[in-house]
């Protein structure tokens, strides 16, 4: 477990959404990220308190939905799947430019 995060390569599985709003498959994309394995309580978009076990930091604007998931190989060589629990967008101060996207799993 790291409180500062590991530079990592994560596989982002983007959900294909059909016309009924259901997931009809996934497209995998490999991305550079920073993964912080830390357990914390956060508040999601619905205002509910939820437990997060990790943060995935992606630089720049990213298209991430709550139906997506990420896979990551940790420092012990274990493949871990992270489901998206909450998405936070960080912007450059005073602008609308997206600095990074933080995914709470």
């Amino acid at each position: 477990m790291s409180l500062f995060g590991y530079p990592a390569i994560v596989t982002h599985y983007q959900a294909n959404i059909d016309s009924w709003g259901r997931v009809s498959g996934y497209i995998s994309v490999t991305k550079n990220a920073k993964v912080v394995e830390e357990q914390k309580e956060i508040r999601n978009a619905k205002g509910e308190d939820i437990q997060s076990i990790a943060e995935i930091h992606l630089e720049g604007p990213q298209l991430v939905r709550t139906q997506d998931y990420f896979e990551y190989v940790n420092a012990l060589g274990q493949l871990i799947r992270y489901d998206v629990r909450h998405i936070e967008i960080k912007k450059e101060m005073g602008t609308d430019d997206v600095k990074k996207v933080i995914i709470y799993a």
Side-chain angles (χ1 to χ4, degrees):
M1 176 183 274
S2 170
L3 297 178
F4 304 109
Y6 299 112
I9 296 175
V10 297
T11 305
H12 178 192
Y13 290 89
Q14 297 174 326
N16 289 328
I17 308 296
D18 65 12
S19 59
W20 290 69
R22 298 175 299 193
V23 176
S24 63
Y26 292 93
I27 298 171
S28 65
V29 179
T30 303
K31 298 180 177 183
N32 291 323
K34 180 176 94 169
V35 178
V36 180
E37 296 173 299
E38 177 186 18
Q39 205 171 52
K40 64 166 73 169
E41 190 171 294
I42 61 167
R43 192 171 299 250
N44 66 7
K46 297 177 186 175
E48 305 165 334
D49 290 332
I50 59 172
Q51 284 291 113
S52 170
I53 59 170
E55 297 175 10
I56 301 169
H57 296 250
L58 299 171
E59 294 297 320
Q62 305 285 330
L63 176 61
V64 180
R65 299 183 186 104
T66 55
Q67 296 93 340
D68 298 355
Y69 69 93
F70 290 82
E71 284 186 346
Y72 157 70
V73 178
N74 69 6
L76 301 174
Q78 301 167 325
L79 180 67
I80 299 175
R81 175 182 165 149
Y82 291 125
D83 293 318
V84 176
R85 305 285 309 262
H86 182 66
I87 303 163
E88 185 176 327
I89 298 171
K90 298 285 188 177
K91 296 186 177 184
E92 296 285 343
M93 187 171 288
T95 69
D96 282 338
D97 298 333
V98 175
K99 181 177 179 183
K100 71 173 151 179
V101 177
I102 303 173
I103 294 93
Y104 294 93

